[in-house]
Amino acid sequence: MHAFEAAARHGSFKAAAVELGVTPTAISHQIRLLEEICGCKLFQRRPRPLVLTGAGARLFPILRNGFDLLAGSLAAVAEPDSQAPLRVTSPNAFASRWLVPRLPKWREANPAVPLEIIGTDALLDLRAGAADVAIRYTRRPPVGFAAQELCRDSFFPICSPRLLASDGRPIERAADLLRYPLIHFDWMNRDPDAPTWRRWLATARSIDPDLIPDKAWDLSFREELHAIDAVVAGQGIAICSDVVVGRELENGSLVKAHPLSLPGYSFYVVWMHHSPRSAVMESFLAWMRTVI
């Protein structure tokens, strides 16, 4: 049943195998056993993509909700204290630059509810109880969970005003940015439409034909936070989220080097349906909306 639920949720045997730590063949075998027990096909395997049959479509929400209820019940047994910390997982950069500076306001509004912030770019498994609530950065709301969009972001070339002042010449066109070091960081989701320098330069060339679209990066980082730290230190210009560095843009410690932007993603507050801590999670969401 776990194999079927994961495959139905992802629409992929391979993705289900990665989640459950087995091979796609093992997933296929388990689903065939379940189909034998049910006496009917649960997936239409050809043509791709993987599609649920009518029987599979009826079974999937029942299992999904059942697993949510089971996980919630186990969490309630394991942590009966209603004053236990609310465990919040968030992407590292969002946790560090956006969430942590605002935590004093949470303590003022909710002094009886402590928070445990888990900053990680890995997707922690809410179903397994790894966290109570997650802030997910994605194009679409996660399937199978309660999810509310918090905000969307845009990406601009961002730098320290000291860096611009050091050159002494104004930026009048996109190509002027190439006078400065360009700072790149890896997008680990490998999204071809991610808001990177490569996409920004290709877009900017439509308004400035003299711009070089394949300029090499002067600095490259694996972690977004390290790239932002380099920008704050005046080491170059990076394509940054206006939400993640919003505080620095407001106080003037960082500025937009050029007005051309790329669309980003959405930040969603996500938790399990029927969670025993739904009330405090909804309070957390309401608070997030007041400080965004």
Side-chain angles (χ1 to χ4, degrees), residues 106 110 148 150 269 271 279-292:
W106 169 264
N110 302 273
Q148 293 288 327
L150 182 65
V269 180
W271 65 95
V280 69
M281 292 176 194
E282 290 175 1
S283 296
F284 180 74
L285 171 61
W287 171 78
M288 291 277 283
R289 291 191 180 282
T290 67
V291 296
I292 188 66

Side-chain angles (χ1 to χ4, degrees), residues 67-286:
F67 285 136
D68 283 350
L69 284 170
L70 178 60
S73 299
L74 290 173
V77 170
E79 236 179 1
D81 184 3
S82 61
Q83 300 306 311
L86 181 67
R87 296 166 302 161
V88 181
T89 177
S90 163
N92 269 319
F94 185 84
S96 177
R97 314 298 299 200
W98 192 96
L99 182 57
V100 170
R102 290 167 171 79
L103 292 184
K105 295 182 179 179
W106 169 264
R107 292 195 295 273
E108 290 174 8
N110 302 273
V113 185
L115 295 181
E116 178 183 338
I117 306 301
I118 308 169
T120 175
D121 293 328
L123 294 182
L124 298 190
D125 190 350
L126 298 185
R127 297 175 187 275
D132 298 310
V133 60
I135 298 167
R136 295 276 167 83
Y137 186 54
T138 180
R139 294 197 185 278
R140 302 174 187 83
V143 176
F145 296 94
Q148 293 288 327
E149 186 181 62
L150 182 65
C151 62
R152 292 175 178 265
D153 64 357
S154 297
F155 281 72
F156 293 84
I158 301 293
C159 67
S160 165
R162 301 191 311 274
L163 180 69
L164 299 183
S166 67
D167 183 83
R169 292 174 289 173
I171 292 179
E172 298 177 342
R173 51 192 294 195
D176 292 340
L177 268 63
L178 303 185
R179 301 199 304 260
Y180 303 90
L182 301 187
I183 297 174
H184 168 78
F185 65 88
D186 288 345
W187 280 81
M188 301 307 291
N189 63 3
R190 306 303 180 194
D191 181 358
D193 295 323
T196 61
W197 266 120
R198 183 170 286 105
R199 277 200 67 211
W200 191 92
L201 292 170
T203 302
R205 197 177 187 192
S206 66
I207 59 174
D208 190 345
D210 293 335
L211 193 143
I212 304 170
D214 55 352
K215 182 184 186 299
W217 324 128
D218 298 281
L219 281 173
S220 183
F221 295 92
R222 178 66 59 88
E223 300 290 340
E224 181 181 5
L225 271 176
H226 297 162
I228 294 173
D229 287 342
V231 170
V232 172
Q235 297 177 19
I237 305 175
I239 301 294
C240 297
S241 162
D242 61 351
V243 169
V244 171
V245 299
R247 192 165 55 109
E248 289 80 3
L249 290 173
E250 289 178 5
N251 63 30
S253 58
L254 293 178
V255 296
K256 296 175 181 176
H258 194 279
L260 178 65
S261 67
L262 296 175
Y265 301 79
S266 290
F267 292 92
Y268 290 93
V269 180
V270 180
W271 65 95
M272 289 195 315
H273 293 289
H274 313 297
S275 168
R277 308 203 70 186
S278 290
V280 69
M281 292 176 194
E282 290 175 1
S283 296
F284 180 74
L285 171 61

Side-chain angles (χ1 to χ4, degrees), residues 2 5-7 9-10 13-22 125 127:
H2 268 298
E5 188 276 338
R9 176 160 37 87
H10 289 291
F13 285 2
K14 183 177 180 180
V18 171
E19 177 179 316
L20 299 180
V22 298
D125 190 350
R127 297 175 187 275

